[in-house]
DNA sequence: TAGATTGTTAATCGATTAACAATC
DNA sequence: TAGATTGTTAATCGATTAACAATC
């Protein structure tokens, strides 16, 4: 077998795969079995050629004349994105936002289980949220290490976010979803994704 | 005066401007008066040349040998992003997430005021959240038109999100922050920004 | 002056798109 | 077969980066 040229997939492509997956699940839910790049593009306000190109990075999932089989493509995308198994996630900070996340049922069906909740406030520790007991920050390291948790969500006030990030990274967390509106600094091997709605609003007002 | 060539600013640049602004506000808060592209880049894990290029699209805000004056640059970026005045925002859907947004104090300092809350549930209508009374969906159109609201946040369950979007667009809303995990279809003149934490998580797990 | 840093150019790099042969 | 649609190529398009003269 010839040596395969190492092709690096652009991050833009990966972002779009998650978007395709979301749309494919909608199609699946309404009983559609196949979809063409043309129709998927129409639904997502994208270009058919781009969808075909993105998907072809990973293999020929479609059939000429027919399109892509919906459930097979969902299966393949879930595998590519490594969400064919469920990831356990730890949430740190049980303010209004953390509580909303703890109660939200939309993670499980898409590959993630809110599995652990932590807060520094003794008033909050011990409370139950969707069947989970809020744990003390004292137990953070031991719990995450024992359970091999690789994903954390930071929903503490900004002034504590960096310290929380340090502790999470310190016990092996590799991906952080950061709701605090500041730039975290983390080692190169850790992925951070900010969720900052204000930045998104500011972007939109530019065009208005 | 010669006709200026129409330069279009890329959306990537606009996204980064909001990031620069956030970091500049941190610097301002700790009393820094100037910052170089080099230092800002270090803080944001970006390249100095890109920061200079982005900023130079809008004018020469810096000085050779010195860097950029922090508060002047904040002033200019706020003007460019059109957040030198405050925008009133309507939130539709007072579930856990909507309540978290209603209670969050972090919008006001960055250009946005959560000004109106709506919910369809009669049990919820009339409740107070951070001094605002939750209004009935019946009053949506009249309220938004009277108050000239241009920005909406959608925090209703997915199955109602498109209908809510239609109604918001129907009364002149131009920008939607959509927390429902689906693709909204809106006219071309309306901006939609999805906030879907699961998509962000799925992107990160790809690399893990 | 010497050192630092901008604004801008030109070169590089990468991403998107149109087009079409292959084929269902 | 005729019509539809993929996978892939080549061309276009746009974004990033390095480099440096200008200048604080």
């Amino acid at each position: 077998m010839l040596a395969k040229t190492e092709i690096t997939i652009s991050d833009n492509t990966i972002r779009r795969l998650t978007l395709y997956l979301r749309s494919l699940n909608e199609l699946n839910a309404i009983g559609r079995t196949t979809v063409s790049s043309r129709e998927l593009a129409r639904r997502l306000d994208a270009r058919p050629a781009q969808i075909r190109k993105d998907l072809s990075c990973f293999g020929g999932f479609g059939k000429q004349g027919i399109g892509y089989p919906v459930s097979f493509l969902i299966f393949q995308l879930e595998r590519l994105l490594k969400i064919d198994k469920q990831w356990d996630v730890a949430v740190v900070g049980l303010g209004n936002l953390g509580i909303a996340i703890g109660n939200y049922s939309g993670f499980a069906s898409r590959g993630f289980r809110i599995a652990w909740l932590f807060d520094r406030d003794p008033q909050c520790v011990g409370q139950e949220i969707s069947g989970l007991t809020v744990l003390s920050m004292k137990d953070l390291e031991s719990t995450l290490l024992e359970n091999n948790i690789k994903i954390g969500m930071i929903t503490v006030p900004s002034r504590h976010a960096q310290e929380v990030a340090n502790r999470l990274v310190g016990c092996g967390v590799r991906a952080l979803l950061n709701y605090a509106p500041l730039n975290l600094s983390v080692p190169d091997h850790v992925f951070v994704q900010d969720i900052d709605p204000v930045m998104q609003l500011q972007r939109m007002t530019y065009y208005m």
Side-chain angles (χ1 to χ4, degrees), chain A:
Chain A
M1 198 207 220
L2 292 173
K4 241 188 203 164
T5 315
E6 196 62 49
I7 296 167
T8 46
I9 312 295
S10 85
D11 191 52
N12 283 348
T13 294
I14 303 303
R15 286 174 194 273
R16 284 189 298 261
L17 291 188
T18 68
L19 201 59
Y20 303 158
L21 178 57
R22 203 174 67 171
S23 202
L24 287 162
N25 277 313
E26 286 174 38
L27 287 164
N28 196 46
I30 59 171
R32 290 288 305 276
T33 56
T34 60
V35 67
S36 66
S37 59
R38 191 152 165 277
E39 184 185 355
L40 194 55
R42 193 182 48 70
R43 296 175 70 94
L44 294 172
D45 202 18
R47 303 286 160 93
Q50 177 143 82
I51 292 176
R52 294 201 299 278
K53 186 122 224 287
D54 285 341
L55 295 176
S56 74
C57 294
F58 301 97
F61 300 133
K63 283 212 201 319
Q64 287 101 326
I66 311 288
Y68 298 87
V70 173
S71 63
F72 176 70
L73 191 50
I74 289 172
F75 175 80
Q76 292 296 337
L77 290 180
E78 287 181 343
R79 187 180 54 80
L80 289 167
L81 296 169
K82 300 202 185 71
I83 50 170
D84 46 354
K85 66 148 208 166
Q86 199 160 56
W87 296 81
D88 279 358
V89 177
V91 177
V92 183
L94 274 293
N96 285 306
L97 184 59
I99 291 170
I101 289 172
N103 281 311
Y104 180 59
S105 62
F107 289 102
S109 60
R110 298 168 74 197
F112 301 91
R113 188 171 72 103
I114 306 297
W116 305 97
L117 307 176
F118 295 92
D119 200 279
R120 69 203 293 262
D121 179 4
Q123 300 272 308
C124 185
V125 172
Q127 306 240 352
E128 287 232 340
I129 293 170
S130 285
L132 290 177
T133 305
V134 178
L135 303 182
S136 161
M137 287 302 283
K138 282 197 286 291
D139 302 322
L140 184 77
E141 280 80 2
S142 58
T143 308
L144 265 58
L145 283 168
E146 268 170 39
N147 295 281
N148 197 30
I149 303 303
K150 295 296 167 201
I151 303 178
M153 293 193 199
I154 298 179
T155 48
V156 299
S158 291
R159 67 187 175 282
H160 298 126
Q162 183 63 59
E163 194 212 326
V164 167
N166 294 347
R167 289 181 65 179
L168 289 169
V169 168
C171 53
V173 166
R174 303 263 330 268
L176 293 174
L177 203 65
N178 171 41
Y179 283 85
L182 51 71
N183 245 74
L184 295 176
S185 41
V186 297
D188 281 346
H189 69 278
V190 177
F191 301 96
V192 177
Q193 177 62 51
D194 289 335
I195 306 273
D196 186 342
V198 178
M199 278 178 42
Q200 311 292 3
L201 289 170
Q202 290 175 341
R203 182 182 141 258
M204 291 195 287
T205 51
Y206 169 79
Y207 296 101
M208 289 167 66

